[in-house]
Amino acid sequence: MKIISPDPVGVFTFNAESQGGEVAFIDGHALVDDEESSVRKRIVDVAETWLGTPFHDNQGLKHHGVDCAHRVAKVYEEAGCIPHVDLPRYSPQIYLHKLGDRSYLDKILEYAREINLSDVKPGDVVLYKVAKSFTHGAIIERWPDCIIHPIRPHGVICSAAFEGFVARREHRFFSFFV
């Protein structure tokens, strides 16, 4: 396992081989499996502190307003998994009209890697296709029973992975852990 980080001097560093295979590091400290579970729990715990925050495009302020891109970035930053990420402003309509826009997907791939359903664990991310692009992200608490994500008009909620706004949408999974 490892945490992917674009900044090798950041909180997380890249994996190294040891007697047992791949090892994850945080601040030079090797993670064992129960420590990975602890980091994943911290991600989910932080994600839960955003519950009830209203939905607002291009915002990322807990309890005041957030969109799904800012919330994913802010949760992972607050949990100590990634450095601060400056997200560009966007028009909410771009995803409805620009076929295959990859801006959200490419930003996720700077920090995470795509994984299969069989590899999904708490703290991973699911991206849903909305209109013509993968533009809605949620943090997985328990797949498929609980994903934490902001939607209009409810704000940040915990919902099942296939109900309401995300029902029947194509989706892909990503992990900051390897």
Side-chain angles (χ1 to χ4, degrees), residues 155-170:
V156 179
I157 63 168
C158 178
S159 71
F162 303 111
E163 71 179 13
F165 175 73
V166 294
R168 298 178 304 282
R169 294 193 187 274
E170 185 179 349

Side-chain angles (χ1 to χ4, degrees), residues 12 26 30 50 63 70 76 84 111 121 131 136 163 165 172:
F12 295 96
I26 298 180
W50 287 77
H63 307 301
H70 283 86
Y76 279 89
H84 175 74
Y111 299 92
K121 295 179 183 173
H136 183 73
E163 71 179 13
F165 175 73
R172 297 163 71 175

Side-chain angles (χ1 to χ4, degrees), residues 46-73:
V46 170
E48 288 176 343
T49 68
W50 287 77
L51 289 170
T53 299
F55 180 93
H56 289 290
D57 286 308
N58 291 295
Q59 298 298 311
L61 188 58
K62 190 186 296 187
H63 307 301
H64 296 281
V66 69
D67 62 20
C68 63
H70 283 86
R71 197 188 64 79
V72 168

Side-chain angles (χ1 to χ4, degrees), residues 101-178:
D101 181 85
R102 290 185 51 99
S103 54
Y104 193 178
L105 179 60
D106 287 344
K107 186 54 80 173
I108 290 286
L109 288 170
E110 286 181 30
Y111 299 92
R113 68 177 176 90
E114 191 161 5
I115 59 173
N116 295 317
L117 172 60
S118 60
D119 298 322
V120 169
K121 295 179 183 173
D124 289 335
V125 172
V126 59
L127 288 187
Y128 288 92
K129 190 172 189 178
V130 178
K132 299 179 179 186
S133 304
F134 285 91
T135 59
H136 183 73
I139 294 176
I140 297 166
E141 182 173 315
R142 291 179 322 279
W143 185 263
D145 302 320
C146 178
I147 59 170
I148 302 172
H149 59 128
I151 59 169
R152 282 187 187 97
H154 307 291
V156 179
I157 63 168
C158 178
S159 71
F162 303 111
E163 71 179 13
F165 175 73
V166 294
R168 298 178 304 282
R169 294 193 187 274
E170 185 179 349
H171 54 280
R172 297 163 71 175
F173 303 102
F174 300 85
S175 182
F176 289 73
F177 300 83
V178 178

Side-chain angles (χ1 to χ4, degrees), residues 78-100:
E78 188 177 336
C81 297
I82 64 171
H84 175 74
V85 177
D86 285 320
L87 297 174
R89 290 194 59 78
Y90 65 90
S91 165
Q93 289 77 28
I94 193 169
Y95 304 122
L96 300 175
H97 305 292
K98 187 175 178 187
L99 180 62

